[in-house]
Amino acid sequence: MLNRVILVGRLTRDPELKFLANGTAVANFTIAVNRPFSNQQGERGADFINCVIWRKPAENVANFLKKGSLAGVDGRIQTRSYDNNEGKRVFVTEVVAESVQFLEPRNSQGGGNNTNNNNGKYDNDPFANDGSIDISSDDLPF
């Protein structure tokens, strides 16, 4: 049996970091993933997928990602349920991330707009400054 999810998208809000009573870190975040097709008006939809990550990687996500950050998530889908305060059963489907890749430089503003102050040098060299390449999510094949 196989349960594997790989997503690339942007965080819709800052990650929420919590610590359990035993000190275990857990972070929750939502990632917006563009759909590969457009509707009749030419607009591309997106799916908003809830994710959770545990322990040290959770702390890293909370410290280094923010709303708008481009991230790659590798994990599995998990479903669970609980009774809310009104006694109603609530069903939750989320991605339990095993790893999260930060797909933009730390100083990026989110949105793929990296600014380079190279005074006109190396205009055609994508590795001229810090070695990163500016790739928007629209350029990705998935």
Side-chain angles (χ1 to χ4, degrees), residues 11-32:
L11 274 67
T12 62
R13 58 182 167 83
D14 291 345
E16 180 181 327
L17 179 66
K18 294 181 183 178
F19 290 91
L20 303 180
N22 65 5
T24 302
V26 59
N28 293 291
F29 59 97
T30 302
I31 189 169

Side-chain angles (χ1 to χ4, degrees), residues 42-58:
E43 301 165 342
R44 288 179 71 177
D47 293 300
F48 301 91
I49 301 168
N50 295 325
C51 302
V52 61
I53 190 163
W54 294 86
R55 298 177 184 76
K56 185 63 176 173

Side-chain angles (χ1 to χ4, degrees), residues 40-94:
Q40 292 179 342
Q41 291 76 31
E43 301 165 342
R44 288 179 71 177
D47 293 300
F48 301 91
I49 301 168
N50 295 325
C51 302
V52 61
I53 190 163
W54 294 86
R55 298 177 184 76
K56 185 63 176 173
E59 295 180 54
N60 290 336
V61 164
N63 289 330
F64 298 109
L65 294 180
K66 62 182 190 289
K67 179 179 178 179
S69 295
L70 185 64
V73 176
D74 182 9
R76 60 185 169 80
I77 292 179
Q78 179 173 291
T79 59
R80 60 186 170 90
S81 63
Y82 63 93
D83 293 327
N84 68 9
N85 293 336
E86 292 95 37
K88 291 186 178 182
R89 175 72 64 182
V90 176
F91 294 91
V92 177
T93 300
E94 59 197 356

Side-chain angles (χ1 to χ4, degrees), residues 62-63 132 142:
N63 289 330
S132 66
F142 49 91

